[in-house]
Amino acid sequence: MARTLTAIAPLLVQIFAADARQSASCTVSDSAKSDCGYFGIDQSGCESKGCCWSPLYDGSDTPWCFFDTGDDDSVDDDTSSTCFLLDGSEAVADSPPFDDSMMALFKANFLSQIDIDDVGAVVAAPDHDTPGGDYYFHWERDGALSMRCLQETETGGDNTTTYMQAYTSWVLGRQAEDDPHGIDVRTEPKYEIPTGEVYEGAWCRPQNDGPGLRAISLMIFANSLLEQGESDYVKANLFGSDAPNGGAIYYDLQYLVDGGWSTNTCDLWEEVQSYDFFWNRVTMYRALIMGAEFASSLGDDVSSAAYLETADAVGATLGAHDNGDYVYESTNREIDGAVFCAINNGYTNASDFMSFASPYEESTARTVVTYIQAFCDEYSINTQDSDSGIPGVLIGRYPGDTYAGGNPWVLTTAALAQVFYRAAFQTKTFGLPSEAAQEQWSKLGITTSTSSEMAQALATSGDSVLLRLAKHVNGDGGRLDEQIDRDSGEQASAQSLTWSYAEVLNAMKARTDYFA
């Protein structure tokens, strides 16, 4: 039975208030100032949030944008503009945010955008006219994540092996390309469809997350083949001395071992550059840990040891991304939806290096609380939805984004929902998280005394996020675009984005895993 919005409206938990006034009292000592802004906010953006602005010297630890003497980041009962979550007591197992018919449409659209022209390519979106130009290309990142989703959500069904063999052939072909830009071809962002030629136009290059992401997807495939006794294919194409460049998996992992993990790179959104993006490092770490186990299973202890050694080097950089308030993406763009994508795609419990990024940990709870606060007030559509009794929150790439109008994104919103579902699963499996984590979750109204109640509340929070998303996408015939207009709530920018389908499918799979 599908849940209706009228049925859930009374079951609200208020989270954050959007106080639209400029405070009358901004006389606050530096030590008492509570940050009300985000990285890169200016005076107009600060004051539009109803906060105080007082610039100091560059590098100051004191926030320039801060709450006044009567405000902090807690609930303000005098405002009607809030993001909220459903009460965790509501039974949600049999009433998912997206029903079976809608999920079938998502899956059909997703499958129609992989293995284009039977060459193994994954089209980013079949849209030639977006605010960012033509999307009819195979992006290395999008393709790898989509093919991982295909396998982990079992969307490919009986055709999964056929899809993955086509993708393997595509990857081997791209690894053999001569690069026209003087960089390692494994760090190219995108390729022409159907020829597979490297895109020769200007773009943000290099992008060093691609090799690790491809290796993860292909190792999932290889492990499945090995379980079926298909080792010959694995050794001939994916990992073997007679395979091209040692195999698609070997060649991509070797890029990381040879130092590629520490090179300068573009960010997930292809806008800024850094040597130390959280998304890139976490997914590389995941690939290397998987690679060590995979190589060992094939008797290649030398490669396994090299992967572990490199993983240790990468892992040693991860903890610095927790600044005590939240996990940040990079020093030049701190609050970034890429962090949720990183936690979902890169987290592994194989090492203490990653423990802080577990959905179960206090650091992740802190990050969720901070990010919801930052994005809730960023878009007027959040205010409109809350005033209409729609639960959840829509989030975008980062506060202050201007691309295509600076809107919420489907994929980052779904990624947040997945974090909630995975936190619910871990709580159900391992019991209550630490008291520090519980204190953070309580800021979202998740205050329970038993692990089963907390797990239910976290799962219901995931439902809340997807219900708000569903409100804006369910009327478009199963099409998921890139963005949702920040004012009108209509889907916007690139139509039928493959990565959007993948993130929604991943979130719903995490939900299914929790209720299984």
Side-chain angles (χ1 to χ4, degrees), residues 20 52 97 157 161 181 207 218 287-288 293 306 321 341 344 412 421 442 478 491:
C52 302
T161 297
H181 303 111
Q207 297 186 21
L218 291 173
L288 289 161
E293 183 176 352
H321 284 266
C341 296
N344 290 328
T412 50
Y421 291 133
S442 72
Q491 292 203 78

Side-chain angles (χ1 to χ4, degrees), residues 134-147:
D134 191 351
Y135 270 40
Y136 203 86
F137 294 93
H138 175 103
W139 258 266
E140 189 167 318
R141 175 188 307 107
D142 300 33
L145 292 170
S146 296
M147 299 310 286

Side-chain angles (χ1 to χ4, degrees), residues 23-183:
S23 172
S25 178
C26 287
T27 304
V28 183
S29 65
D30 286 351
S31 63
K33 288 178 179 176
S34 179
D35 198 349
C36 184
Y38 49 80
F39 183 81
I41 196 170
D42 57 16
Q43 182 173 358
S44 62
C46 177
E47 292 180 348
S48 70
K49 289 166 63 70
C51 300
C52 302
W53 177 262
S54 180
L56 298 170
Y57 58 89
D58 288 340
S60 170
D61 291 332
T62 301
W64 293 17
C65 181
F66 54 92
F67 290 96
D68 67 26
T69 54
D71 281 335
D72 57 21
D73 60 356
S74 60
V75 172
D76 179 351
D77 292 330
D78 294 331
T79 178
S80 60
S81 180
T82 60
C83 294
F84 58 85
L85 304 177
L86 289 170
D87 186 288
S89 64
E90 174 157 347
V92 292
D94 60 350
S95 50
F98 297 108
D99 62 23
D100 290 345
S101 61
M102 188 58 63
M103 289 298 294
L105 291 172
F106 291 159
K107 291 177 180 180
N109 288 337
F110 173 76
L111 289 174
S112 73
Q113 295 176 198
I114 65 174
D115 194 18
I116 300 298
D117 293 341
D118 298 322
V119 299
V122 178
V123 67
D127 190 344
H128 298 280
D129 185 19
T130 82
D134 191 351
Y135 270 40
Y136 203 86
F137 294 93
H138 175 103
W139 258 266
E140 189 167 318
R141 175 188 307 107
D142 300 33
L145 292 170
S146 296
M147 299 310 286
R148 177 178 173 180
C149 169
L150 176 86
Q151 299 172 89
E152 293 186 328
T153 64
E154 302 179 351
T155 299
D158 293 339
N159 295 319
T160 297
T161 297
T162 300
Y163 286 129
M164 289 305 302
Q165 287 178 338
Y167 177 66
T168 298
S169 296
W170 172 269
V171 172
L172 288 169
R174 307 299 66 75
Q175 290 175 338
E177 292 275 349
D178 292 326
D179 191 85
H181 303 111
I183 63 173

Side-chain angles (χ1 to χ4, degrees), residues 99-424:
D99 62 23
D100 290 345
S101 61
M102 188 58 63
M103 289 298 294
L105 291 172
F106 291 159
K107 291 177 180 180
N109 288 337
F110 173 76
L111 289 174
S112 73
Q113 295 176 198
I114 65 174
D115 194 18
I116 300 298
D117 293 341
D118 298 322
V119 299
V122 178
V123 67
D127 190 344
H128 298 280
D129 185 19
T130 82
D134 191 351
Y135 270 40
Y136 203 86
F137 294 93
H138 175 103
W139 258 266
E140 189 167 318
R141 175 188 307 107
D142 300 33
L145 292 170
S146 296
M147 299 310 286
R148 177 178 173 180
C149 169
L150 176 86
Q151 299 172 89
E152 293 186 328
T153 64
E154 302 179 351
T155 299
D158 293 339
N159 295 319
T160 297
T161 297
T162 300
Y163 286 129
M164 289 305 302
Q165 287 178 338
Y167 177 66
T168 298
S169 296
W170 172 269
V171 172
L172 288 169
R174 307 299 66 75
Q175 290 175 338
E177 292 275 349
D178 292 326
D179 191 85
H181 303 111
I183 63 173
D184 192 312
V185 73
R186 289 169 289 187
T187 64
E188 281 290 347
K190 61 181 183 177
Y191 304 86
E192 303 278 354
I193 297 175
T195 65
E197 295 177 356
V198 173
Y199 174 68
E200 294 194 4
W203 210 257
C204 192
R205 297 181 177 92
Q207 297 186 21
N208 70 8
D209 60 337
L213 295 172
R214 282 196 308 208
I216 291 171
S217 182
L218 291 173
M219 281 187 283
I220 294 171
F221 178 44
N223 284 327
S224 174
L225 292 176
L226 291 173
E227 290 175 359
Q228 301 170 47
E230 299 290 339
S231 60
D232 289 347
Y233 180 92
V234 173
K235 293 176 181 178
N237 296 279
L238 298 170
F239 200 94
S241 57
D242 295 331
N245 291 314
I249 294 171
Y250 177 86
Y251 195 49
D252 275 344
L253 291 179
Q254 200 60 36
Y255 168 79
L256 303 179
V257 171
D258 289 341
W261 71 269
S262 61
T263 56
N264 186 57
T265 181
C266 299
D267 70 319
L268 179 67
W269 314 120
E270 306 178 313
E271 293 181 339
V272 297
Q273 295 192 347
S274 171
Y275 286 89
D276 190 24
F277 288 114
F278 184 66
W279 159 263
N280 299 56
R281 293 288 174 85
V282 168
T283 53
M284 290 172 179
Y285 181 78
R286 174 66 178 267
L288 289 161
I289 292 295
M290 287 182 64
E293 183 176 352
F294 175 72
S296 179
S297 74
L298 292 176
D300 188 347
D301 294 335
V302 173
S303 292
S304 180
Y307 300 154
L308 283 177
E309 181 180 1
T310 308
D312 284 346
V314 178
T317 71
L318 298 178
H321 284 266
D322 183 358
N323 63 14
D325 294 320
Y326 50 85
V327 177
Y328 68 89
E329 173 65 2
S330 64
T331 55
N332 55 349
R333 183 174 291 152
E334 293 195 352
I335 295 179
D336 192 316
V339 168
F340 292 143
C341 296
I343 291 172
N344 290 328
N345 285 282
Y347 169 70
T348 171
N349 61 5
S351 169
D352 289 341
F353 285 132
M354 279 298 295
S355 62
F356 79 97
S358 163
Y360 193 63
E361 294 298 323
E362 180 265 349
S363 49
T364 295
R366 260 193 287 112
T367 302
V368 171
V369 170
T370 300
Y371 280 40
I372 288 179
Q373 181 185 13
F375 284 107
C376 178
D377 296 348
E378 182 78 2
Y379 313 117
S380 65
I381 190 60
N382 273 331
T383 302
Q384 296 172 47
D385 283 349
S386 296
D387 289 347
S388 299
I390 310 299
V393 59
L394 301 173
I395 72 167
R397 302 192 301 175
Y398 50 87
D401 187 9
T402 60
Y403 172 63
N407 300 307
W409 280 48
V410 172
L411 73 91
T412 50
T413 300
L416 170 60
Q418 187 181 352
V419 170
F420 274 123
Y421 291 133
R422 295 177 71 229

